Amino acid sequence: MSDEGYESRIIDGKVLAKKIEDEVESGVKALVSGRGVTPGLATVLVGDDPASKMYVRLKHKACERVGIRAEDHFLPAETSQEELISLINTLNKDKNVHGILLQLPLPKHLFPQEAMEAIAPEKDADGFHPYNMGKLMIGDEGLVPCTPHGVIRALEEYNVPIKGKNVVIVGHSNVVGKPMAAMFLNRNATVSVCHVFTDDLKKYTLGADILVVAAGVKHLIKADMVKEGAVIFDVGITQEKDGVYGDVDFENVIKKAALITPVPGGVGPLTVAILMKHVLSCAETNF
């Protein structure tokens, strides 16, 4: 089969993100016309990390597309924890700010968990606050981390059944792995979470009906590690001089997968679109 024959197996994150953004744009227009409220997102960036700057720009461009008001808060790298918390407290009190996003990573002298916990739960657009994480764990999915939310939305859009399926997640971060596991458990999947200390990773991945990989290791998952007909989400990203790579050996794994996300153009656009959806939700419930 030619490479063109595999196109139907690719989950096009850009197309799905556009659909989500169109939904958000309609919701924003309804909120503005019905209640006179324009959803507002405040992004906080500490330091001048180039990748973080790029991610913030992408999020602000998405805001422009859907009609969300975005404001930048750039702090110098030497900003103290007290100064960062003070800014977050100010944004918590600002009625024109409905969602707050703290761009990670922070400079090494700062404490990200404390800063994220300072964000008002109802303005936690990223879904990282312990209150929102706790609600997720008991099946009350409101503001949940954007990437796992995007994965679930993609599975729904492509009519992939979850109930009773074997799901394997590679990576146990608070950003992706742990909340992803909870969301699958909430949908009655059987879930295995693997990580850097897992013995014989292949033994687990070969049994996966749905495989989510978020390890940040270039081409960690080879074709002989997945079964025929698996649905695969590649969340990892590694940037090298000659290009950007995912955690999955896409060119070879696509020959076995029923569905697979590319890198770039897969999970990334979905994550940003879901963030827009969360900001709208914050504005609809807290204004």
Side-chain angles (χ1 to χ4, degrees):
M1 184 183 289
S2 66
D3 288 345
E4 288 76 12
Y6 295 126
E7 287 183 2
S8 63
R9 304 184 185 192
I10 297 174
I11 297 173
D12 193 328
K14 293 179 180 178
V15 170
L16 181 49
K18 176 65 165 59
K19 181 177 182 179
I20 296 169
E21 287 187 5
D22 287 346
E23 295 170 1
V24 174
E25 184 179 15
S26 296
V28 169
K29 288 178 179 177
L31 195 60
V32 171
S33 62
R35 302 179 186 173
V37 175
T38 299
L41 172 67
T43 56
V44 179
L45 175 61
V46 185
D48 55 1
D49 177 69
S52 293
K53 283 185 173 181
M54 180 190 70
Y55 291 136
V56 168
R57 284 197 301 270
L58 288 173
K59 291 162 185 174
H60 280 259
K61 287 180 180 178
C63 287
E64 290 177 14
R65 291 194 296 269
V66 301
I68 289 173
R69 184 186 63 82
E71 59 182 56
D72 294 316
H73 294 273
F74 290 114
L75 299 175
E78 60 272 17
T79 295
S80 69
Q81 186 78 4
E82 291 73 22
E83 290 169 327
L84 175 58
I85 298 297
S86 177
L87 171 60
I88 291 171
N89 287 335
T90 298
L91 296 174
N92 284 337
K93 298 172 185 174
D94 189 337
K95 293 183 179 180
N96 293 315
V97 172
H98 302 95
I100 301 171
L101 183 146
L102 176 62
Q103 185 64 47
L104 302 177
L106 296 177
K108 291 184 178 179
H109 69 281
L110 297 177
F111 303 95
Q113 190 60 44
E114 181 187 4
M116 287 188 290
E117 289 180 15
I119 296 172
E122 66 273 14
K123 294 189 177 187
D124 174 33
D126 256 338
F128 294 155
H129 193 282
Y131 176 81
N132 291 319
M133 284 283 202
K135 289 180 66 178
L136 166 60
M137 291 302 295
I138 61 171
D140 185 0
E141 296 179 5
L143 295 172
V144 299
C146 297
T147 298
H149 190 171
V151 169
I152 295 295
R153 175 63 187 266
L155 289 167
E156 293 170 349
E157 288 288 333
Y158 282 82
N159 296 312
V160 177
I162 298 175
K163 183 179 179 180
K165 297 301 181 180
N166 290 320
V167 175
V168 175
I169 301 165
V170 182
H172 64 342
S173 72
N174 293 332
V175 176
V176 179
K178 291 176 184 176
M180 188 82 264
M183 294 187 78
F184 277 120
L185 287 170
N186 288 344
R187 288 159 179 79
N188 296 308
T190 300
V191 183
S192 299
V193 180
C194 303
H195 42 74
V196 68
F197 299 108
T198 298
D199 288 330
D200 196 1
L201 178 63
K202 180 178 178 180
K203 178 181 71 175
Y204 292 90
T205 59
L206 272 175
D209 300 309
I210 301 170
L211 177 62
V212 181
V213 193
V217 179
K218 176 185 174 183
H219 291 179
L220 172 67
I221 304 299
K222 311 293 186 185
D224 66 347
M225 298 174 69
V226 302
K227 72 176 182 180
E228 292 282 349
V231 176
I232 301 170
F233 289 87
D234 190 349
V235 182
I237 186 165
T238 300
Q239 189 148 10
E240 297 185 351
K241 289 182 179 179
D242 62 340
V244 174
Y245 300 91
D247 287 359
V248 178
D249 182 4
F250 181 86
E251 297 301 325
N252 292 305
V253 172
I254 192 175
K255 299 169 185 176
K256 297 178 74 174
L259 290 168
I260 187 171
T261 58
V263 174
V267 175
L270 280 175
T271 299
V272 175
I274 292 294
L275 173 67
M276 299 299 104
K277 192 174 183 69
H278 286 181
V279 176
L280 173 60
S281 177
C282 290
E284 288 174 335
T285 55
N286 303 285
F287 63 91

